[in-house]
Amino acid sequence: MKFVFEKEKLVELMRDFYTLTKIRLVVFDSDFNRVAAYPENECEFCNRIKESEKGRLLCARSDKEAFERCHKAQNSFDIYKCHAGLIEAVSPLKMNDIVIGYIMFGQIVEKNDKRNYKDKITEYLSDYTDGDTAEAERLFSSLVSKSDTQISAAAKIMESCACYLCVSELVKVDEGELIFHLDNYINNNISQELSAGELCRKFGISRNKLYAVSNSIYGMGIANYIRKKKVNLAGKYLSMGYSVADAAEKAGFSDYNYFSKIFKRETGILPSKYK
């Protein structure tokens, strides 16, 4: 999904993160295209790897796998090792329930295990330095090193930055995008009886298009997604002290027995027991 962003303010935030941590941040859209970074240029280590087509492909695949893993798991952030053995982290940029992009940092060596890292990574670099051990060691020494605690703290701050970017609308979806309007419509009318046919008429699309979009964005059919949203809403009303019948009605369930059945299927417990 494409989005628009206020580049000056976005870069300012990323610059502040770098000033605090000395870690480079990069923002991608949901199609994995880079849209902003600070510092702008990649580190010398990555540049050397990406001089070869093999290295470029491995880096792109590593990033894509991290983004897809983060999207599928719906994690607030994910810390992992890239193909070269360096520590990276990624957090989704979300509006409502839609992932519109990603923010990530990387190319970090774990400080408390630096010797072990050095041996493994300099050996890995041999393919990119024509076996020049001294050059591999020089590239390794240029990497940022942080402790486990520092990396975890940086990932949490990055997650907060991701939330801030969307809440403050420094990064936002191009409002011409179907899915943005679709999601807003569902959220604003979740207490009503929503059907696939109604959504198709509202947005002038076919059922096949609606189902394809829903499976791509939500990972499930549109009817399942709406039911889950309604059950979550009903659960909130039950937690607020509403009766089961009132919670069902306010969440858009007209049939009490159907509501109880669906609520138990989604949560594993009857609404009366939940209350």
Side-chain angles (χ1 to χ4, degrees):
M1 185 178 301
K2 307 300 181 184
F3 57 71
V4 294
F5 59 97
E6 294 189 36
K7 186 168 184 178
E8 184 176 341
K9 292 183 178 179
L10 174 59
V11 172
E12 181 181 352
L13 177 66
M14 298 167 81
R15 184 189 301 119
D16 289 341
F17 181 89
Y18 181 78
T19 299
L20 181 66
T21 65
K22 299 304 179 187
I23 298 174
R24 180 174 183 260
L25 279 182
V26 187
V27 172
F28 296 81
D29 65 21
S30 62
D31 294 323
F32 317 132
N33 300 307
R34 196 187 91 169
V35 298
Y38 189 89
E40 179 65 28
N41 296 323
E42 293 186 299
C43 67
E44 193 175 1
F45 182 99
C46 291
N47 281 332
R48 177 58 62 87
I49 290 177
K50 290 181 179 179
E51 286 177 356
S52 73
E53 182 178 3
K54 173 188 173 183
R56 288 193 297 273
L57 290 174
L58 287 172
C59 288
R61 185 173 70 184
S62 179
D63 289 347
K64 184 178 180 181
E65 288 175 350
F67 297 152
E68 291 177 340
R69 190 168 57 248
C70 185
H71 190 174
K72 183 177 181 180
Q74 294 291 302
N75 291 336
S76 53
F77 63 84
D78 181 31
I79 299 174
Y80 61 96
K81 286 185 179 180
C82 73
H83 69 96
L86 302 179
I87 296 173
E88 299 186 337
V90 60
S91 183
L93 300 173
K94 298 177 71 173
M95 294 191 71
N96 296 324
D97 289 327
I98 305 173
V99 174
I100 66 170
Y102 304 89
I103 185 169
M104 72 179 299
F105 68 67
Q107 300 83 57
I108 298 173
V109 174
E110 206 281 298
K111 184 183 294 183
N112 298 330
D113 196 23
K114 196 168 183 178
R115 167 52 60 184
N116 192 37
Y117 268 80
K118 181 178 179 181
D119 294 341
K120 289 182 178 180
I121 293 174
T122 52
E123 180 180 354
Y124 177 87
L125 278 172
S126 62
D127 287 344
Y128 303 96
T129 60
D130 296 325
D132 187 336
T133 303
E135 176 64 3
E137 291 182 355
R138 186 187 71 79
L139 290 171
F140 175 82
S141 67
S142 70
L143 293 168
V144 174
S145 63
K146 300 288 183 183
S147 68
D148 281 342
T149 302
Q150 290 172 321
I151 292 168
S152 178
K156 291 175 183 177
I157 295 172
M158 181 181 69
E159 176 196 1
S160 297
C161 289
C163 294
Y164 174 74
L165 289 176
C166 293
V167 170
S168 63
E169 297 192 336
L170 294 186
V171 172
K172 56 185 178 181
V173 176
D174 178 349
E175 294 193 3
E177 297 245 3
L178 163 66
I179 188 60
F180 180 71
H181 289 296
L182 175 64
D183 197 65
N184 269 348
Y185 185 81
I186 291 173
N187 280 314
N188 292 336
N189 296 277
I190 193 63
S191 61
Q192 308 301 315
E193 288 200 14
L194 294 170
S195 68
E198 176 193 348
L199 294 173
C200 289
R201 289 190 295 273
K202 171 71 178 177
F203 295 99
I205 57 175
S206 68
R207 286 179 179 266
N208 285 341
K209 176 66 174 178
L210 177 62
Y211 295 151
V213 167
S214 180
N215 280 305
S216 173
I217 301 300
Y218 304 128
M220 65 186 74
I222 192 67
N224 286 340
Y225 177 70
I226 291 172
R227 276 197 299 270
K228 284 182 178 292
K229 296 279 287 186
K230 285 179 176 291
V231 166
N232 288 340
L233 181 59
K236 290 179 181 179
Y237 283 125
L238 290 171
S239 298
M240 293 166 61
Y242 284 83
S243 69
V244 174
D246 287 343
E249 182 180 357
K250 291 183 73 65
F253 289 95
S254 57
D255 187 311
Y256 179 92
N257 291 328
Y258 175 74
F259 166 66
S260 294
K261 176 182 177 182
I262 294 300
F263 193 95
K264 184 177 181 180
R265 189 170 73 188
E266 292 293 338
T267 66
I269 188 172
L270 286 169
S272 56
K273 189 76 171 178
Y274 183 92
K275 177 175 170 57

